[in-house]
Amino acid sequence: MTGAGRRLHLAPVIVVVALLTVPGGGGAEGGTGGTGTLADAASGLLVLYCLALVVRSGARPLTRTAAVVLGLPVLGVCAAAITSHDPAASLPGVARYVQIFVLVPAAVLLLVRDRGDFAVLAWALVALALFQGGVGVVQYLTGTGASYMGADVRAVGTFGPTDVMGMATVVAFGLVVAVGLVLGGPAGRARTAALVCAALLVVPLVLSFSRGAWIATVLACAAQLVLSGVRRAVRTGLAVAALAVVLVGGLGVGSAMVKERVESITQVTAAPDSSVTDRYTMWAAAAGMWRTDPLTGVGLKGFPQYRDSHASLALSSGSDTAGAGRGFLRQPLLSPHNMYLLVLSEQGLLGALALTGSWLALLAAAAGRLGRGAECALIAFGLLAWQLIDFAYADIGGPSTVLTAVVLGLAAWAALSPYAPGVREVRYA
């Protein structure tokens, strides 16, 4: 069988990734909301396809450890739905959480058979990032992006102004993967190509003007560098700093706006802008909901309903979005833009411990496999670290959310699969 033929079982996953290039039609509904995109529908077919393979093989699909780690979020989700003040309204939230954090990751884990499969999906993430990043750079250069500081220059890719974090997330994932391939892969053309891709993806990430994505990417890549060797980390850090000086200082890539955005990171307490004020207010509201129902929360999809009763008058009515081919829209603030506080408010301490426990277990398992198949473990660790850091500034919601599920599945394979690098392959046939 040819190399392409051996990878046909990955087609459903690649289709999900590819459909994220299709412009979304809905807004980025916060929290547990979904957007009903083509990629979401394809992820459902992915799960059914994997289920059919498992039934056909008759083998136990997951190891006991993987089943516990990936299934742990179900405990908090179900408890929150049962104890919700409106159980019927919580049902869509149950489906969304199980889709993103359990079913799709498990399906990806089961379909990846060896390091070659992992590499194919890793490069698919890089390709998606290059496409979305390329669209974003064109938006910046032609003034057709989302509105930012009165100009339509914010790079958002095909996700539109209602999901400004979409392109930033995709590009950041691609950058983290590329860095992992450079640091852990063998010398050769693939490593050189990954280095070029990583350098190219820095530009659209900067032009996304997403402070949370910047912070998460810097920290995740720094962790990858340190894990690959302290001396290499120092040398690479100096090279990246020099590249930043050339891009921003020398070539003037968004210099004034980037400088203002970077400076705003340190002004979150002294002189916060309206978006930061709204975020702090929603964080306080989420904490208030948790104090009301500390064990199981107010229920899935309950944040919008209880927001106003717990928020101060400092909260604005919504955020302004415009540009990228769309007119002005006042988008309501339906989530706290912090995944941990969202889970704490809607699922309580039980849900927060179950979900974060699952993620931390994956992170620890990935770190424990750094000695085998270095590029796989480094990529998995970097992707998980990025997501866990970014969740302090964002939550699920919007067309790009399904990519989080794919990333978790890739990381789960590198962290939990007994068929990871150095071990025998498995086949469902």
Side-chain angles (χ1 to χ4, degrees):
M1 185 178 292
T2 64
R6 291 182 65 247
R7 311 296 178 191
L8 282 177
H9 59 283
L10 297 177
V13 187
I14 295 175
V15 167
V16 173
V17 175
L19 286 175
L20 286 168
T21 62
V22 178
E29 189 177 341
T32 56
T35 54
T37 64
L38 290 174
D40 280 312
S43 73
L45 294 177
L46 162 64
V47 172
L48 293 177
Y49 171 76
C50 188
L51 178 61
L53 290 181
V54 170
V55 171
R56 179 186 175 189
S57 71
R60 186 173 67 179
L62 296 173
T63 65
R64 190 171 301 172
T65 300
V68 170
V69 171
L70 290 180
L72 195 57
V74 176
L75 177 64
V77 169
C78 291
I82 293 172
T83 61
S84 171
H85 300 292
D86 189 353
S90 295
L91 288 180
V94 174
R96 188 62 163 168
Y97 271 98
V98 172
Q99 171 204 8
I100 299 301
F101 298 117
V102 181
L103 294 180
V104 175
V108 174
L109 185 157
L110 291 171
L111 289 179
V112 176
R113 299 171 178 173
D114 52 32
R115 187 185 299 186
D117 285 355
F118 186 95
V120 168
L121 295 184
W123 279 106
L125 294 181
V126 175
L128 174 64
L130 289 172
F131 173 82
Q132 290 289 359
V135 173
V137 171
V138 171
Q139 290 171 333
Y140 173 82
L141 295 175
T142 59
T144 56
S147 179
Y148 178 74
M149 294 180 65
D152 293 343
V153 295
R154 187 169 191 175
V156 292
T158 64
F159 295 104
T162 57
D163 186 17
V164 294
M165 279 294 296
M167 189 213 74
T169 298
V170 168
V171 169
F173 281 151
L175 181 55
V176 170
V177 169
V179 169
L181 290 169
V182 171
L183 297 176
R189 293 182 179 179
R191 190 173 182 179
T192 302
L195 180 60
V196 172
C197 291
L200 291 175
L201 290 174
V202 170
V203 178
L205 181 64
V206 170
L207 298 180
S208 71
F209 299 108
S210 173
R211 293 168 294 198
W214 292 349
I215 294 172
T217 304
V218 169
L219 293 179
C221 291
Q224 288 177 305
L225 281 169
V226 172
L227 290 172
S228 68
V230 177
R231 291 184 179 180
R232 174 188 278 182
V234 173
R235 293 196 303 267
T236 306
L238 293 174
V240 170
L243 178 62
V245 170
V246 172
L247 285 176
V248 179
L251 301 180
V253 178
S255 55
M257 292 182 177
V258 171
K259 180 181 178 181
E260 184 276 337
R261 197 64 166 170
V262 172
E263 289 177 347
S264 70
I265 296 176
T266 62
Q267 296 172 348
V268 293
T269 55
D273 57 34
S274 59
S275 66
V276 174
T277 299
D278 283 339
R279 185 162 300 187
Y280 281 170
T281 305
M282 290 189 293
W283 287 2
M289 294 178 203
W290 171 67
R291 285 191 292 268
T292 301
D293 295 274
L295 185 60
T296 56
V298 298
L300 298 173
K301 297 183 70 67
F303 183 88
Q305 180 181 353
Y306 293 94
R307 182 198 64 185
D308 292 341
S309 61
H310 290 85
S312 70
L313 295 177
L315 182 66
S316 65
S317 59
S319 59
D320 298 337
T321 62
R326 299 188 185 182
F328 176 82
L329 176 67
R330 189 72 171 170
Q331 191 172 358
L333 303 174
L334 302 178
S335 74
H337 296 293
N338 180 302
M339 189 65 192
Y340 305 106
L341 289 176
L342 174 65
V343 174
L344 196 63
S345 63
E346 293 189 343
Q347 300 182 41
L349 190 59
L350 180 61
L353 289 176
L355 203 55
T356 57
S358 174
W359 299 335
L360 291 176
L362 285 176
L363 188 68
R369 290 190 171 183
L370 285 171
R372 295 183 295 161
E375 76 278 11
C376 297
L378 274 176
I379 290 170
F381 187 92
L383 290 172
L384 288 168
W386 188 94
Q387 192 62 81
L388 293 181
I389 296 168
D390 185 70
F391 272 159
Y393 308 94
D395 48 49
I396 60 172
S400 61
T401 299
V402 71
L403 191 63
T404 297
V406 174
V407 163
L408 288 174
L410 264 182
W413 181 83
L416 300 175
S417 175
Y419 311 105
V423 193
R424 65 186 178 88
E425 298 182 7
V426 63
R427 297 186 182 281
Y428 296 110

